[in-house]
Amino acid sequence: MSLSVKHLLGIRELTRQDIELIFTTADQFKEVLQRPIKKVPTLRDTTIVNVFFENSTRTRISFELAEKRLGADVVNFSASGSSVSKGETLIDTVNNILSMKVDMVVMRHSATGAPHFLSKHINVPIVNAGDGINEHPTQALLDAFSIRERLGSVEGKKIAICGDIMHSRVALSNIYCLKKLGAEVTVVGPPTLIPKHIAQALDVNVSYNIREALEWADVANVLRIQLERQNMPLFSSLREYSLAYGVNRKLLDSLKKDIVIMHPGPINRGVELSSDVADSGQSIILDQVENGVATRMAVLYLLGRNEKEPATAK
Ligand code: CP
């Protein structure tokens, strides 16, 4: 089986079969990662460049590890310290890198649609590692993979996505992914941080009451307030936000059941999530990070294999 896409630009473009293929492939890579020798040479002779125009800890390290575990040659590019500061365009930057015989590009950019734009100008597969407030597809894949691992499946599960929905690419990719896999989704947060027509546009429930949403949910995916993407903060103070929407032990203890806690990182401890919850047995935050490597190995392997197979085999 092959993916239906040449690039991973967003979850929106994937089929449910694509997502399930990524998961069964990631299952196999997760087994490899438990072995003493954690490498498989499936992308030997492939060179991958990680092009990051925005800061990252988890995504960048996770992609680099995934690439190295697959035996690829890896090059890392950061916009800071590069000739971007001298006015070089995105297309010139990437075309110069590609002329050095690179086979795949992983890109993070602050502009919505940057990887989609680039995909029309270059011939090698592109993986979107986060574009502005649009999508972060590999985060959604590793999140859904982690829910499947903890709860046995995603189908029929109730997922609350909590916090700054308006500026979060993680929220949008999660909604696409979870809905395609048959989950029910509620977005919960202050009205100023939830897009107005999201219920109709994306077939999700909307709540402005965190306790009610968590009482309903099997899983809470708690998001950071993306202050760097807001011209003016849309909540009057972080302390006020934390009092109204922070997920803490007192709130969880008031629920009638235990729910699974997720967070894509980085966590603003004491704002959207308290430390006693983040570090508790209910939290699968570090499982998410661990699963990021196997999930990204699956994406890179499947896109790389697509490239090597003749068109008739797809
Ligand atoms: N989850 C996530 O995208 O984290 P980084 O910004 O550290 O990559």
Side-chain angles (χ1 to χ4, degrees):
M1 281 177 71
S2 301
L3 292 177
S4 66
V5 291
K6 174 185 168 86
H7 310 283
L8 178 58
L9 300 176
I11 300 291
R12 191 194 326 229
E13 291 86 7
L14 297 184
T15 64
R16 180 172 180 154
Q17 288 70 30
D18 287 328
I19 297 169
E20 284 169 352
L21 175 61
I22 291 167
F23 286 177
T24 52
T25 309
D27 287 335
Q28 292 167 32
F29 285 129
K30 189 150 181 183
E31 269 181 45
V32 170
L33 293 174
Q34 312 302 323
R35 295 181 196 156
I37 296 172
K38 300 174 177 54
K39 285 184 103 165
V40 279
T42 50
L43 289 187
R44 199 180 46 211
D45 304 327
T46 301
T47 302
I48 304 177
V49 60
N50 302 312
V51 180
F52 276 66
F53 287 84
E54 254 191 9
N55 295 341
S56 169
T57 297
R58 280 148 291 273
T59 311
R60 184 172 173 151
I61 291 175
S62 181
F63 267 112
E64 184 171 349
L65 272 175
E67 291 151 3
K68 288 180 171 168
R69 303 286 192 229
L70 292 169
D73 292 324
V74 180
V75 184
N76 289 306
F77 167 90
S78 270
S80 61
S82 76
S83 288
V84 169
S85 65
K86 301 171 198 162
E88 193 161 37
T89 65
L90 173 62
I91 292 183
D92 277 345
T93 300
V94 174
N95 271 333
N96 275 269
I97 294 169
L98 292 182
S99 68
M100 295 181 241
K101 308 293 175 228
V102 167
D103 304 298
M104 212 183 291
V105 176
V106 173
M107 187 171 82
R108 171 169 285 193
H109 203 287
S110 57
T112 288
H116 308 68
F117 171 71
L118 199 60
S119 71
K120 297 188 174 27
H121 291 88
I122 66 174
N123 283 325
V124 303
I126 301 178
V127 182
N128 181 0
D131 65 316
I133 60 168
N134 182 38
E135 282 226 40
H136 190 349
T138 57
Q139 180 70 46
L141 289 166
L142 73 88
D143 287 346
F145 184 87
S146 301
I147 294 170
R148 168 181 173 267
E149 184 176 75
R150 175 59 76 107
L151 298 180
S153 88
V154 176
E155 175 99 47
K157 298 297 181 296
K158 294 177 178 165
I159 319 294
I161 304 178
C162 315
D164 183 359
I165 311 301
M166 180 92 78
H167 305 96
S168 172
R169 54 197 177 203
V170 174
L172 189 56
S173 284
N174 260 266
I175 292 168
Y176 286 134
C177 191
L178 295 167
K179 297 292 299 179
K180 282 177 198 248
L181 293 173
E184 274 187 76
V185 177
T186 292
V187 293
V188 53
T192 47
L193 295 180
I194 297 183
K196 280 212 167 17
H197 304 294
I198 193 167
Q200 300 89 316
L202 297 175
D203 188 24
V204 294
N205 311 307
V206 174
S207 171
Y208 304 122
N209 183 315
I210 188 86
R211 219 198 70 77
E212 277 176 19
L214 298 197
E215 193 69 80
W216 167 87
D218 301 310
V219 177
N221 195 353
V222 185
L223 306 178
R224 183 175 65 87
I225 300 187
Q226 310 256 316
L227 290 172
E228 72 275 27
R229 300 190 203 285
Q230 302 181 19
N231 293 332
M232 270 195 339
L234 293 176
F235 210 83
S236 48
S237 80
L238 290 182
R239 181 169 153 68
E240 195 183 339
Y241 177 85
S242 180
L243 286 171
Y245 290 99
V247 175
N248 53 44
R249 178 50 52 202
K250 189 168 165 223
L251 173 63
L252 292 190
D253 285 348
S254 76
L255 307 178
K256 294 189 188 74
K257 57 180 181 183
D258 274 357
I259 62 170
V260 176
I261 301 295
M262 303 175 70
H263 193 301
I267 305 171
N268 276 336
R269 287 173 180 261
V271 179
E272 72 274 10
L273 192 60
S274 64
S275 282
D276 54 2
V277 173
D279 303 332
S280 72
Q282 275 176 272
S283 160
I284 59 166
I285 293 169
L286 292 180
D287 298 336
Q288 291 171 257
V289 178
E290 181 186 341
N291 287 333
V293 179
T295 312
R296 291 181 171 113
M297 285 172 81
V299 167
L300 295 165
Y301 164 73
L302 290 166
L303 291 177
R305 194 182 63 169
N306 262 1
E307 282 298 284
K308 286 187 176 135
E309 280 179 4
T312 50
K314 287 182 187 170

